[in-house]
Amino acid sequence: MTFPNPLIPGFSPDPSVVLADGVYYLVTSTFEYLPGIPVYRSTDLVTWTHIGNVATRPEQAGVDDVTTGGGVWAPTIRYRDGVFYVIVTIAMSPRGCVVFTTTDPAGPWSDGITIEGVDGIDPDLAWDEDGSAYVTFSGLSTSGEQMGQHPGIQQVRVDLAAGKALEMPRSLWSGTGLKFPEAPHLYRRGDHWYLLIAEGGTERGHSVSVARGSAAEGPFEGHPANPVLSARSTSRPIQNTGHADLVATPAGGTALVLLGVRPLGLTQSFSPLGRETFITPVSWDDGWPQPEPVRLAPRDAVDEEVFDFADPSALADPGWLAARTTPESVASVRDGRLAITGQAGLGDPHPQFVGRRQRHLTAAVSTTVDASSGAGGLAARYDEEHWIYLEARGTVVTARAHVAGITQSWQATVPAGDVELRLEMTPPSVGSGFVAMGGDRIRLLAAGTLVTELDGRYWTSETCASFTGRVIGLYASAGTVSFADFRYRGADA
C-alpha cells in the first residue's frame, strides 16, 4: 500500500491512532495551544479530516499557566466496548495524567479524570483478557527536582472509573540504553504482548525499539536488532523518526504512524514546520515487526484555505489555535469581520493571537486588515521568544522579527483603510552558498510591496525552545483591529 508522507502535515507531533469499526482516528500533541488534542478521521489511512478536538474547554486542559514546552504531551487514543479513550500527560499542570472519554470522537469529550499514581509522561492504555486496565508510561517526572532523572518505562494497573493506580509502578523494559526511553505502546498480537517505545531523544537520535513477552506485565525481551527504525546519521529527507504507534491497514497489513521532521538547508539543519505525522509500512519477520524507512511522498494537490469572515461560523473550524486560551476568547466575528482587541504583544504568554498550522514548506498566507482603530496584523509564532509580524497601525506597517530577545524592525507606508498583509515561505535555494545553508526564505509584504525578507532558520524546531511548530495567524497588540479574511495556499510537490 502506498501512503502519502507527511500524513498529517505541520505541527502534529506524537501521533497515536486507533481502528474502530472500520474507521481510523488519530490524535496528536498540542502543548500550550487550545483547543487541545486534534482528532482526525480516515477510512483508508490516506485521506484525513480534522473532525474536532478533545480539549475544547479550558478546564479540560488546565494550560493557562504552563511554561512554553509544557501542556498537552503525547496522547494515546484507544477504543473498547463502544467508548473512545484518550489518555494524556498535561505536563507542568495540576491535571497530570488525564483520561478523556466519549462515544463520538468528533466530541464533545468528557471533562477528564486525573489518574492518581501515574507520575510520568507519554501514557498508554491497554486491557488484558480479564479486562484489567494497564497504564504504561515513561517514568520521567515533569515536576520538581525529579525532572531529568529517568527510571525508564513503568506500568501500573488502574481503576479508570475511580482515577487511581491499584499498585505501585513496576519497571518493564527501557530499550537499548539510549537516552529518554519514552512513548510506550502495548499491544496483544497472537501469543505475544509487544511493547513499542521511542528512545534516543526526540531530536536527530530519535528511534523506535520493540520488545515482546507472554504477558502484559512482562517480562519483555528486546528485538536483537533494536532499534528497528531510526534516521540518525543518514541523509534521508525525513529525520527524527520515532514516537510510533502500530495499526492494521485496510489491506490486512500493518503500518507504523510516527513523528518526524523535514529539515531544510544543505546540512538538513532547520525544520520550520516542527514535528509532523508520518506513516510507513511494517512487515513481520519471525514474529517481530520490521518498519520500512520513512519515505517522503508529498501530495500533488495545492492546498488552499479561504476564510471569509462575512461567514459568522468561520472561527468554528477546528483548526484554529490560540496560546493557553481558546480562539473564541481572543477573537469574535461581527459585522462581517473578525475583530481582535489588543491587550498584550506576541512576547506575552497570552497574546491576542489566533492562528493555524503552517503545513507546507512552500506557502503563502495573507489577510486584509483595517487597523484604523488599533494596531495588529499577520504573525508567525513559534513561542514567546521567536516570532515575526507585519503590524498595521493607521497608514504605517511595521515588519518585526524577534529572536531570543533580539528584535529588528522595518517600516512601509500604505494607503488608509484596508491593507493586504502577506507572508511567503519558500525553501532555500540549492547550492553551497550562505542562503543554501540556511532555513526557508520568508518574505513580508504590505499592499504588494516587499517590506523585508528573512532567513527562516531562526523560527524552526532546532532553534526555538518549544516542541511545537510554526503557527501563522491574526493578532492585535492595541485597540481593536478587524480582518476581512484569512487565506492560506501551500504546496510541497
Side-chain angles (χ1 to χ4, degrees):
M1 184 174 183
T2 301
F3 297 109
N5 262 330
L7 193 66
I8 310 291
F11 156 39
S12 305
D14 310 327
S16 177
V17 64
V18 69
L19 175 61
D21 299 329
V23 180
Y24 297 93
Y25 298 94
L26 186 149
V27 295
T28 68
S29 297
T30 41
F31 297 89
E32 71 266 28
Y33 283 101
L34 289 176
I37 316 176
V39 181
Y40 301 92
R41 180 185 188 275
S42 176
T43 57
D44 59 6
L45 269 183
V46 173
T47 301
W48 294 83
T49 302
H50 188 174
I51 61 171
N53 300 281
V54 174
T56 57
R57 305 179 295 280
E59 62 271 17
Q60 289 174 286
V63 297
D64 297 15
D65 299 315
V66 301
T67 60
T68 295
V72 176
W73 285 13
T76 294
I77 185 169
R78 294 295 182 254
Y79 177 73
R80 180 178 172 84
D81 297 334
V83 177
F84 290 87
Y85 297 79
V86 165
I87 186 168
V88 66
T89 302
I90 303 182
M92 305 169 199
S93 162
R95 294 241 60 190
C97 176
V98 183
V99 176
F100 300 99
T101 58
T102 189
T103 56
D104 180 0
W109 289 73
S110 68
D111 288 339
I113 184 168
T114 294
I115 306 297
E116 302 294 341
V118 178
D119 184 17
I121 65 171
D122 300 2
D124 173 78
L125 182 60
W127 294 263
D128 69 8
E129 293 86 346
D130 67 8
S132 295
Y134 291 87
V135 174
T136 306
F137 59 99
S138 175
L140 179 65
S141 174
T142 62
S143 61
E145 295 180 357
Q146 296 179 9
M147 185 68 176
Q149 299 177 4
H150 207 306
I153 302 301
Q154 309 271 292
Q155 184 189 77
V156 292
R157 286 185 302 112
V158 299
D159 183 330
L160 291 173
K164 64 179 182 180
L166 299 176
E167 58 189 344
M168 293 298 292
R170 71 180 65 83
S171 294
L172 286 190
W173 178 75
S174 295
T176 66
L178 297 176
K179 69 176 182 178
F180 297 145
E182 58 190 3
H185 288 306
L186 187 65
Y187 318 88
R188 177 66 185 268
R189 179 186 170 96
D191 295 332
H192 293 103
W193 284 85
Y194 290 87
L195 178 60
L196 196 72
I197 74 166
E199 55 178 333
T202 196
E203 302 80 29
R204 293 297 190 267
H206 213 23
S207 57
V208 178
S209 293
V210 63
R212 69 185 182 192
S214 60
E217 297 181 6
F220 288 94
E221 169 198 13
H223 190 304
N226 275 327
V228 294
L229 179 68
S230 181
R232 65 186 183 197
S233 301
T234 73
S235 57
R236 294 174 193 158
I238 302 168
Q239 292 288 318
N240 302 25
T241 50
H243 202 118
D245 202 1
L246 284 167
V247 67
T249 68
T254 307
L256 202 64
V257 172
L258 71 166
L259 69 78
V261 300
R262 289 182 281 170
L264 297 173
L266 184 64
T267 57
Q268 293 182 288
S269 298
F270 306 108
S271 308
L273 308 185
R275 299 175 300 166
E276 306 175 272
T277 292
F278 295 86
I279 188 169
T280 193
V282 174
S283 59
W284 291 84
D285 182 12
D286 193 27
W288 289 106
Q290 182 55 62
E292 295 183 10
V294 185
R295 292 179 170 83
L296 185 64
R299 302 173 195 264
D300 293 333
V302 172
D303 185 0
E304 287 192 89
E305 286 184 331
V306 177
F307 292 93
D308 184 341
F309 296 120
D311 177 0
S313 67
L315 197 60
D317 183 275
W320 290 104
L321 295 170
R324 301 178 178 85
T325 189
T326 61
E328 295 80 9
S329 68
V330 173
S332 61
V333 179
R334 57 178 185 263
D335 300 326
R337 314 271 296 204
L338 183 136
I340 303 177
T341 298
Q343 300 173 23
L346 289 169
D348 191 271
H350 298 84
Q352 271 53 62
F353 169 84
V354 293
R356 301 178 69 82
R357 297 163 176 87
Q358 182 184 335
R359 303 183 302 279
H360 303 81
L361 296 174
T362 299
V365 186
S366 65
T367 184
T368 304
V369 57
D370 180 353
S372 56
S373 300
L378 186 63
R381 179 187 189 272
Y382 233 102
D383 54 44
E384 292 90 335
E385 289 294 330
H386 301 86
W387 42 263
I388 303 162
Y389 70 49
L390 276 167
E391 181 179 274
R393 183 189 290 263
T395 60
V396 176
V397 171
T398 300
R400 182 161 290 147
H402 185 87
V403 178
I406 302 171
T407 302
Q408 186 168 355
S409 301
W410 304 260
Q411 286 191 335
T413 302
V414 297
D418 279 356
V419 60
E420 183 190 65
L421 305 179
R422 182 178 176 90
L423 298 180
E424 296 177 348
M425 285 70 61
T426 56
S429 59
V430 177
S432 58
F434 176 79
V435 172
M437 295 288 288
D440 60 336
R441 306 303 298 176
I442 305 175
R443 291 162 50 88
L444 291 80
L445 300 99
T449 298
L450 180 66
V451 183
T452 192
E453 181 173 329
L454 304 171
D455 182 339
R457 76 176 74 193
Y458 305 107
W459 300 275
T460 63
S461 62
E462 292 82 2
T463 302
C464 303
S466 65
F467 294 129
T468 56
R470 214 179 270 168
V471 177
I472 302 178
L474 313 174
Y475 86 101
S477 60
T480 298
V481 180
S482 70
F483 303 86
D485 54 20
F486 180 86
R487 299 171 180 270
Y488 178 98
R489 179 182 174 91
D492 288 324

